[in-house]
Amino acid sequence: MPKTKSSISLDWKSVARTVLTSRAIDKIEEKELVPKGLVTYQFSARGHDMIQAILSDCINHEHDGATVYYRSRPFVLGQGLTAEESMAASMARSGGVHGGRDIGVVHFLRSRGKATVLPASGDVGAQYSPAIGWAQSVQYFANVLSNDSYKGAIAVALGGDGSTAANGFWAALNAATTQKLPLLFFIEDNGYGISVTSDFQTPGQNIAKNLASYTNLKIYDCDGTDPEIASKNILEAVEYTRSWQGPALIRMTIPRLSGHSFVDTQSYKSPELLITERANDPLPKLEKYCIANKIFSKKEWDAFVIEVENDVNAARDKALDSPQPDPSTVLDHVFSARPIEINSTREEGIRMNLQDAVRKTLEVELAKNPKLLIFGEDVGAKGGVHGATVDLQVKFGKDRVFDTSLSEEGIIGRAVGMAFAGLMPVPEIQFRKYADPATEQINDCGTVRWRSKSQFAAPMVIRIPAGYAKKTGDPWHSVSNESIFAHQIGWRIAFPSNAEDAVGLLRTALRGNDPTFFFEHRALLDTPPGRKNYPGDEFMVPFGKARVVQEGSDLTIVTWGAMVERAVAASQSPVGRTLSPSVEILDLRTIIPWDKEAVLASIKKTNRAIILCEDNWTCNFTAEICATITQEAFEYLDAPIERLATPDVPIPYNVGLMNAVLPGVEEIARVIEKVLKF
Ligand SMILES: Cc1ncc(C[n+]2csc(CCOP(=O)(O)OP(=O)(O)O)c2C)c(N)n1
């Protein structure tokens, strides 16, 4: 194991510098930059600073990963963020690591020799589950990929007492303890979540006490204002986590010596409490400790305080000189700029259904890419509730294909942490509806490339069975709802209508560099319309290229997924055929990006359009396409564009009811007639 500070001793000078730097920045922001209107979001770390500085001093392995929150500036300073960068970020200047795109305290930092500070989130509690992914990844790199440099590396997640009530905390706690992952939960308990006291967050106000009997969790609980006690406990907790025996949680009590943020007057605290909190400031205790232990003499300490203040003042001047970001760049970094090399060599393999096509592609890519991992509920021994991962655990082992705890927030958060660590996670969500608990992680994952100007990205492929099934539907297992994901920034969406496209699109997604949703329609998994010949182990389909299912000259139907076969059937039904043998059908194949050029070109040729999907009506993706056609090809239209979708009701269980709401062949044919007769 590489030598780490936790196994030696703390550098108290460096701890003191970090605390004093943080205090000096807080002071400048509060006294100068906020009053001048240069900083809007100001979060002081006063009171939290000493324990964070101690922690930061021993989180020093090059493969450590830290997930932090808005009060974590002292920790991040200890990891190498400069005071100048920090203040430039607070002022939204180009000199901050965010380049003005995000609030300065929503930290991230690529490793500067110590930990990687994973991109934080403004969502309280969202910092925890990515830490599971990082913790699992360091063990994967060491144990499976035999990279010894990862040995002893850990993940640490910093959070307040309020955050322990959030879903993400429990998602991470369960995953870390059930899998004995090297993750340290670092809980800074200041007794308040803004104004809400911690008895609302955990019964009896002490999360450590409540978790005392949690299996596989080592607990530390101490005063975080006493340098000796705090450092002893932090060092032990870090050392224990580095031993890879399992996760640890350390809870430290500290006062929040300022408002929650600058605008918070703390009117909810009594004058007595404010006095007690001030008397419990860790900084004078740190000074006393350093002098007593001969780290500084009193004279040296005083000189050191002035030296740090002078440094921070100089940093402020430089930060003030930092230019405003260039507005012409604001659209950059939404997606990866790296083109994906598309291999379209197509073989003529055996005929297979869509589900087998997915399974086979996963198998081929698992064999080719040792960094690819598949996980989710029931994907291991069972092979997935839809059978898409059958036998993959037997073939590739439990490190690469594994079950998870029942927490979609945890599954996607874990994938985010793994992606940051350099792996290619392929989580499965059992049914589209059950992605709902992961919304926060999905959203933060999609925006991270933009927020960090491509310093961080979390490419992954989320496989989601969706839509009505062969025999029936219902409100829980039959949702398609791709439109909601289309609204998520930074995500690509594939929605194949057959086995061949499934192979090609899945492979492109797995070799891509952006987070991608891969929809597997339940009515196509094992039905004739989904079956196609296997196109080979290298076959890829580019995103954003629609497939012309049938050519025509009188009307264009744009659709995707299971509606493709219905559109074909409708166009060939007596109504469709009598009126026009010439309906053009475009299968979009990917919703993001969607093939605008192909759609517009087709409509300029046919002059009539129907946009068809099974998602529910309001704001679904057909509306987006209609709006684009209206804006860009209005003069070519000979009839109003028709939209076809499910009305705004859930998918019913009863088949008769279900067929009454899903766009069916007859209904599509009727609309074809209407458009052609207009
Ligand atoms: C999901 C979510 N809900 C609410 C908020 C608003 N909010 C921001 S900070 C905060 C309190 C968090 O308290 P705690 O975790 O104890 O950290 P502290 O600020 O005390 O350090 C709240 C409610 C948020 N950012 N995210």
Side-chain angles (χ1 to χ4, degrees):
M1 198 208 287
K3 266 225 173 307
T4 58
K5 279 217 184 95
S6 57
S7 57
I8 316 168
S9 64
L10 280 177
D11 178 348
W12 283 102
K13 268 195 180 156
S14 136
V15 169
R17 177 176 288 280
T18 302
V19 175
L20 292 169
T21 303
S22 174
R23 294 265 168 147
I25 297 173
D26 282 338
K27 191 163 103 188
I28 288 172
E29 287 181 346
E30 288 168 350
K31 299 256 181 268
E32 300 175 30
L33 304 180
V34 174
K36 282 185 187 155
L38 295 170
V39 169
T40 314
Y41 289 98
Q42 204 283 331
F43 288 85
S44 157
R46 268 190 215 94
H48 290 238
D49 32 22
M50 187 188 72
I51 51 171
Q52 287 186 28
I54 294 171
L55 176 73
S56 202
D57 200 55
C58 43
I59 297 300
N60 52 9
H61 189 300
E62 59 171 326
H63 295 305
D64 283 345
T67 64
V68 299
Y69 77 116
Y70 50 82
R71 216 176 292 291
S72 303
R73 178 157 58 195
F75 176 85
V76 187
L77 288 169
Q79 293 297 319
L81 180 76
T82 66
E84 180 188 339
E85 286 172 318
S86 180
M87 284 181 280
S90 296
M91 292 189 281
R93 300 293 176 83
S94 56
V97 290
H98 315 75
R101 292 178 169 217
D102 200 351
I103 306 173
V105 295
V106 180
H107 304 278
F108 58 79
L109 195 68
R110 288 179 71 95
S111 169
R112 293 184 175 174
K114 297 171 79 181
T116 297
V117 179
L118 276 61
S121 165
D123 303 316
V124 170
Q127 70 268 40
Y128 291 109
S129 54
I132 330 165
W134 189 278
Q136 191 170 349
S137 299
V138 295
Q139 292 197 318
Y140 186 83
F141 275 104
N143 298 341
V144 181
L145 299 180
S146 308
N147 186 334
D148 284 347
S149 74
Y150 281 81
K151 283 193 177 153
I154 63 170
V156 59
L158 283 67
D161 45 284
S163 73
T164 65
N167 299 341
F169 175 76
W170 296 97
L173 191 65
N174 277 330
T177 47
T178 50
Q179 285 184 254
K180 295 195 184 175
L181 297 174
L183 167 55
L184 173 61
F185 294 86
F186 190 83
I187 307 303
E188 304 165 33
D189 188 345
N190 61 27
Y192 284 85
I194 308 186
S195 65
V196 179
T197 46
S198 51
D199 49 336
F200 281 84
Q201 316 296 357
T202 194
Q205 305 196 307
N206 183 342
I207 189 71
K209 200 169 164 197
N210 286 325
L211 292 174
S213 64
Y214 223 76
T215 303
N216 296 338
L217 184 67
K218 183 96 172 158
I219 297 274
Y220 300 84
D221 187 9
C222 68
D223 175 6
T225 66
D226 181 308
E228 189 163 351
I229 296 172
S231 60
K232 180 176 172 295
N233 278 274
I234 293 170
L235 284 167
E236 272 180 37
V238 170
E239 195 117 54
Y240 174 80
T241 316
R242 288 206 191 286
S243 73
W244 285 10
Q245 294 174 71
L249 179 142
I250 181 164
R251 173 230 180 208
M252 280 154 297
T253 48
I254 31 101
R256 192 191 71 201
L257 295 170
S258 312
H260 167 72
S261 66
F262 184 77
V263 291
D264 175 24
T265 57
Q266 306 210 74
S267 56
Y268 45 85
K269 287 186 182 171
S270 68
E272 296 74 36
L273 176 61
L274 291 170
I275 292 168
T276 316
E277 285 189 333
R278 269 199 297 276
N280 213 12
D281 183 346
L283 182 55
K285 298 187 193 187
L286 177 65
E287 176 186 345
K288 209 169 148 198
Y289 177 84
C290 286
I291 293 168
N293 287 282
K294 306 208 178 332
I295 291 146
F296 293 98
S297 67
K298 172 69 180 143
K299 213 170 135 197
E300 283 167 342
W301 174 270
D302 291 342
F304 193 58
V305 172
I306 291 167
E307 180 192 317
V308 172
E309 269 185 13
N310 288 341
D311 287 351
V312 174
N313 285 339
R316 172 212 44 212
D317 295 344
K318 283 194 189 159
L320 281 165
D321 286 342
S322 172
Q324 297 289 346
D326 175 1
S328 72
T329 62
V330 73
L331 299 183
D332 297 348
H333 304 291
V334 176
F335 291 104
S336 166
R338 174 167 71 76
I340 306 169
E341 228 177 275
I342 299 291
N343 183 343
S344 39
T345 321
R346 195 180 161 288
E347 291 164 20
E348 201 66 19
I350 56 160
R351 201 164 167 77
M352 60 172 65
N353 64 26
L354 195 147
Q355 174 191 285
D356 286 342
V358 168
R359 204 203 63 79
K360 172 94 177 139
T361 308
L362 292 174
E363 182 178 346
V364 171
E365 294 301 306
L366 273 165
K368 286 192 172 146
N369 181 1
K371 292 187 177 164
L372 196 152
L373 272 64
I374 295 176
F375 50 94
E377 293 152 18
D378 301 293
V379 306
K382 180 173 169 64
V385 293
H386 307 275
T389 54
V390 165
D391 281 347
L392 295 183
Q393 188 177 69
V394 175
K395 286 191 177 141
F396 294 95
K398 289 183 178 168
D399 288 314
R400 302 197 60 199
V401 180
F402 53 91
D403 292 327
T404 64
S405 41
L406 202 168
S407 164
E408 285 73 15
E409 141 96 42
I411 293 170
I412 304 303
R414 178 195 310 241
V416 168
M418 283 179 165
F420 286 147
L423 300 176
M424 176 40 119
V426 187
E428 174 178 304
I429 297 290
Q430 257 173 16
F431 293 90
R432 160 65 193 89
K433 176 81 181 72
Y434 305 145
D436 291 359
T439 305
E440 189 174 76
Q441 292 298 335
I442 288 170
N443 189 277
D444 295 347
C445 171
T447 59
V448 72
R449 181 185 284 283
W450 182 89
R451 289 186 283 124
S452 70
K453 293 199 300 169
S454 292
Q455 292 165 78
F456 286 88
M460 67 177 70
V461 179
I462 305 183
R463 296 181 33 253
I464 309 191
Y468 63 92
K470 198 154 59 169
K471 291 189 187 135
T472 183
D474 74 291
W476 315 107
H477 305 93
S478 305
V479 174
S480 76
N481 239 204
E482 65 276 17
S483 318
I484 285 188
F485 292 145
H487 204 68
Q488 298 278 12
I489 293 158
W491 282 88
R492 290 152 49 103
I493 304 174
F495 205 148
S497 65
N498 62 73
E500 178 179 322
D501 284 348
V503 171
L505 292 168
L506 182 55
R507 175 159 296 111
T508 304
L510 293 171
R511 295 184 185 180
N513 207 25
D514 288 304
T516 304
F517 288 108
F518 185 82
F519 277 75
E520 295 164 18
H521 200 287
R522 295 174 65 220
L524 300 172
L525 290 179
D526 188 21
T527 51
R531 288 189 193 121
K532 278 276 165 86
N533 292 344
Y534 179 67
D537 291 352
E538 281 299 324
F539 178 70
M540 295 167 82
V541 169
F543 275 48
K545 289 273 170 262
R547 181 172 68 96
V548 181
V549 181
Q550 64 183 43
E551 283 192 48
S553 54
D554 298 340
L555 162 69
T556 303
I557 300 181
V558 181
T559 189
W560 53 91
M563 287 296 130
V564 172
E565 56 144 330
R566 292 195 176 191
V568 172
S571 76
Q572 290 166 5
S573 73
V575 182
R577 223 180 19 241
T578 321
L579 283 165
S580 165
S582 193
V583 174
E584 179 140 301
I585 298 176
L586 296 186
D587 174 359
L588 279 190
R589 305 201 283 196
T590 61
I591 312 297
I592 302 288
W594 67 281
D595 195 346
K596 190 168 103 175
E597 287 68 34
V599 170
L600 292 177
S602 177
I603 279 146
K604 286 177 184 172
K605 180 175 77 172
T606 65
N607 313 114
R608 288 165 204 269
I610 296 173
I611 322 295
L612 161 67
C613 79
E614 73 181 271
D615 204 348
N616 65 294
W617 184 266
T618 304
C619 296
N620 77 33
F621 205 70
T622 63
E624 178 68 28
I625 298 171
C626 281
T628 306
I629 297 170
T630 311
Q631 237 179 341
E632 301 192 27
F634 183 71
E635 65 274 28
Y636 291 91
L637 290 173
D638 288 342
I641 309 165
E642 282 289 336
R643 288 170 67 200
L644 266 167
T646 303
D648 288 330
V649 293
I651 303 296
Y653 180 36
N654 175 279
V655 178
L657 294 180
M658 178 177 87
N659 289 336
V661 296
L662 283 175
V665 174
E666 273 177 37
E667 189 190 356
I668 301 167
R670 266 199 308 278
V671 176
I672 291 177
E673 184 179 2
K674 183 179 164 193
V675 175
L676 289 172
K677 281 186 172 168
F678 180 84

